[in-house]
Amino acid sequence: MSHLPLPLYGFAAFFMVFWLGTWMVHVIAICYGRYKLHKKSCKLPTEAQPLPGVSILKPLMGVDPNLQHNLETFFTMDYPLYELLFCVEDKEDPAIQLVERLLAKYPLVDAALFVGGSDVGVNPKINNIHPGYMAAKYDFVMISDSGIKMKDDTLLDMVQNMSEKHALVHQMPFTCDRDGFAATFEKVFFGTVQSRIYLSADVLGINCHTGMSCLLRKAVIDQLGGLRAFGCYLAEDFFIARSVTRLGWKMRISNQPALQNSGLCDIGSFQARLIRWAKLRVAMVPTTILLEPLSECMILGAIAAWSASVLFSWDPLVFYLVHVLCWFLSDWLLLSIVQHGSMPFHKFEFVVGWLFRELTGPYLFLHALWNPAIRWRARTYKLHWGGVAYELNSLASDAANDPLAPQPQPAPTLEPAVVNAGTTGDTLICTGAKQRLLVS
C-alpha cells in the first residue's frame, strides 16, 4: 500500500481515531447507564429538610387513547407537595373536558386549568404553558409533555437529584411497552442511539437536554427572563440548558428514564419527528452536518474498514462485519440496561427494528438537510443559524396587509382566581376543591 498518496494515510489515521472515539462513547454509555439508571435513592426527607413543592406544567393539545391514563398518573404520585397546571391553547380543544373529569375525580389534588395561552414568541409550547408558569407558586417547576407517564416515585427521584449546585434535572427519553412494530422501532431508537448519546453527554458535561420531562429552579429561569425569553426558539430546551450552565449552574439526568406513552404510534409520524429534531440540531450546532452522519454504524463501519485496510492491510469486509456485529451487541446490551426488565418483543423483532433504524438513519438526516423547513403540528417554521425561529404562515402576511385583522397581543399578567365547587366561568365549568381556572 506504499504507492498511496501520503494524505490518504492521514485521512485513514483520522477516521481510525474517530472510530475508536465512537467506541469509547459506547463504553461510557453502557458503564454509566449500569451505574446511574434505575438506582433507588436512600436519601429521605427530614423535618429540617422537607421535600420542596413542585409546580408541574402540562401542555396539552388534542387527545389520544392513552392521554387520560397518562395524566392520571400525575394525580396519584407519591409526593407530598405539588400542583398540576394544565395548559390548553384552544378553547375548543377536547383535552379540556378530559382534564375537567380528572379534576372532579381528584378534588383533593391542587390543580389548575389555563385556557388560551399567551403570545410571547413563535414556540407554541412556550406560548401554551406561559400562563401556567406565571401562576406557579413553588420554587421548582417541572415541564412535562402530554405523552409522559409517571411512576409513583418519579418526581421524588427527580427532586432528590436536584442538589444545591444543580438548577436542571431532566429525564432521559424512553418509551413504555406497547404493541406493534412502530412501538418496537421507537423503543430501539430511544434505548440505543438516543440513550448512548444522552448518557455519554451527561458524563462529559455536554448539553443534550430534551425538554419532554425536566425539573427547573424557577428563580434561575426568572433570572434569565422567564420562559418568555426562550419563546423565539423552537428548541427551547437546548437554550434553557445552555443559559442555565452559563450562569454557573449544573444539570444532570435523573435515575429514571422518561416513559413516553402516546396512544398514537406509527412509523411515519415518528420519522417526521426524527427529521424535525435533526433540522433543529443542524441549525443549533452546525458541526452536526459532518459529525452525525459519521457516527452512524453503517457509514462509520465502511470508513473504518477502509482505514484499517490502508493502515494495517486488514481485510475490509471482515473488519466491517465484525464492526456491525459488535455495534449490534453493544446496542442490545445498552437497551437491556435502559429497559431494566424483560423486553416486550422477541430478539428477531429487535434485529429487524435495529436494522431498520440503522439503514434509515442516514436517509432521514439527508432529508432534514434537503428541506430545512420544520413542520410542527399545523404550523411551519424556518430557523436561522443559531436556532432563532420564525413562522412561515400566509395568515401572518395577510394580517400585516389587512389593518382590520387582529394583531398579536402581549402576554397578560395573570393572577390565579379561585373557583369554588359549582362556580361557572365564562366558557368552562370546573368543580372540586383547590382547583383554579384561568381563561385568557
Side-chain angles (χ1 to χ4, degrees):
M1 306 294 286
S2 59
H3 63 280
L4 292 176
L6 186 61
L8 284 182
Y9 287 97
F11 279 115
F14 169 79
F15 286 124
M16 185 57 64
V17 171
F18 186 84
W19 178 78
L20 291 173
T22 303
W23 276 107
M24 285 301 300
V25 171
H26 279 264
V27 173
I28 291 173
I30 291 172
C31 294
Y32 186 59
R34 186 72 179 85
Y35 161 77
K36 175 71 175 179
L37 297 180
H38 307 287
K39 184 172 63 174
K40 297 293 184 180
S41 176
C42 298
K43 185 169 56 176
L44 298 175
T46 63
E47 292 185 3
Q49 290 184 322
L51 291 171
V54 179
S55 299
I56 302 175
L57 300 174
K58 293 291 297 184
L60 304 177
M61 178 180 287
V63 297
D64 67 54
N66 292 345
L67 180 61
Q68 179 168 342
H69 174 67
N70 293 336
L71 296 184
E72 197 160 6
T73 62
F74 285 81
F75 284 88
T76 58
M77 292 187 298
D78 186 13
Y79 194 82
L81 188 62
Y82 66 93
E83 62 174 348
L84 296 173
L85 308 176
F86 297 99
C87 303
V88 182
E89 193 172 20
D90 185 0
K91 297 178 182 180
E92 304 299 324
D93 197 309
I96 293 175
Q97 295 181 355
L98 191 153
V99 172
E100 287 180 308
R101 291 196 298 269
L102 290 174
L103 295 180
K105 183 176 181 180
Y106 298 96
L108 299 181
V109 176
D110 190 1
L113 174 61
F114 297 83
V115 180
S118 298
D119 185 10
V120 296
V122 299
N123 188 310
K125 180 177 177 180
I126 295 294
N127 288 339
N128 193 4
I129 65 176
H130 185 262
Y133 176 83
M134 296 297 293
K137 62 185 179 183
Y138 293 123
D139 294 335
F140 292 92
V141 173
M142 179 184 182
I143 301 176
S144 175
D145 287 355
S146 60
I148 298 297
K149 175 183 176 181
M150 297 287 273
K151 294 182 178 179
D152 292 344
D153 60 342
T154 300
L155 182 57
L156 176 63
D157 173 68
M158 296 181 74
V159 169
Q160 291 181 335
N161 272 281
M162 182 74 76
S163 72
E164 294 182 356
K165 60 183 180 181
H166 291 89
L168 170 59
V169 173
H170 52 113
Q171 288 188 280
M172 185 182 75
F174 196 48
T175 63
C176 289
D177 295 345
R178 294 168 294 172
D179 296 328
F181 178 72
T184 300
F185 177 52
E186 287 191 22
K187 187 174 284 288
V188 168
F189 172 82
F190 285 109
T192 59
V193 181
Q194 184 79 2
S195 295
R196 181 167 62 249
I197 300 300
Y198 222 86
L199 290 167
S200 58
D202 194 54
V203 172
L204 300 174
I206 300 172
N207 182 5
C208 193
H209 168 231
T210 61
M212 65 178 63
S213 181
C214 62
L215 184 67
L216 302 158
R217 289 186 183 271
K218 190 172 187 295
V220 176
I221 303 302
D222 289 339
Q223 183 182 350
L224 294 168
L227 285 184
R228 68 163 55 238
F230 303 95
C232 60
Y233 306 108
L234 287 185
E236 81 291 337
D237 44 11
F238 174 86
F239 291 98
I240 288 175
R242 188 179 72 172
S243 300
V244 165
T245 54
R246 285 181 174 179
L247 288 179
W249 292 91
K250 294 184 179 297
M251 64 176 183
R252 67 179 176 188
I253 65 172
S254 63
N255 298 345
Q256 295 185 16
L259 297 179
Q260 301 173 84
N261 190 39
S262 174
L264 303 176
C265 184
D266 64 88
I267 296 294
S269 61
F270 182 61
Q271 288 186 324
R273 187 181 179 193
L274 296 180
I275 292 173
R276 184 174 74 245
W277 287 352
K279 293 176 181 180
L280 291 171
R281 291 194 298 272
V282 168
M284 296 182 301
V285 188
T287 53
T288 300
I289 296 175
L290 291 177
L291 295 180
E292 189 158 325
L294 290 178
S295 63
E296 291 285 349
C297 172
M298 304 301 179
I299 296 176
L300 179 60
I303 296 175
W306 170 81
S307 300
S309 67
V310 170
L311 296 175
F312 311 115
S313 299
W314 292 350
D315 187 322
L317 179 59
V318 173
F319 185 97
Y320 182 78
L321 294 176
V322 172
H323 161 86
V324 173
L325 177 61
C326 292
W327 195 293
F328 170 82
L329 294 175
S330 68
D331 275 354
W332 172 261
L333 177 59
L334 180 58
L335 176 60
S336 301
I337 292 172
V338 179
Q339 174 72 10
H340 194 59
S342 60
M343 296 292 179
F345 44 75
H346 298 294
K347 291 182 175 64
F348 178 76
E349 294 178 272
F350 171 76
V351 172
V352 175
W354 184 86
L355 286 173
F356 185 72
R357 210 299 317 166
E358 297 300 332
L359 293 174
T360 59
Y363 162 75
L364 296 179
F365 187 77
L366 290 175
H367 188 285
L369 294 179
W370 183 258
N371 180 18
I374 296 177
R375 182 82 174 174
W376 191 357
R377 295 186 185 268
R379 300 168 181 170
T380 304
Y381 305 86
K382 290 199 73 174
L383 274 70
H384 296 291
W385 292 112
V388 176
Y390 61 96
E391 184 174 357
L392 299 177
N393 191 342
S394 59
L395 295 178
S397 60
D398 293 341
N401 297 324
D402 183 2
L404 299 179
Q407 300 298 317
Q409 299 298 318
T413 301
L414 299 173
E415 294 295 337
V418 178
V419 180
N420 295 323
T423 300
T424 304
D426 291 337
T427 59
L428 296 176
I429 298 175
C430 189
T431 61
K434 294 187 179 180
Q435 297 170 6
R436 290 171 289 159
L437 171 62
L438 280 164
V439 181
S440 57

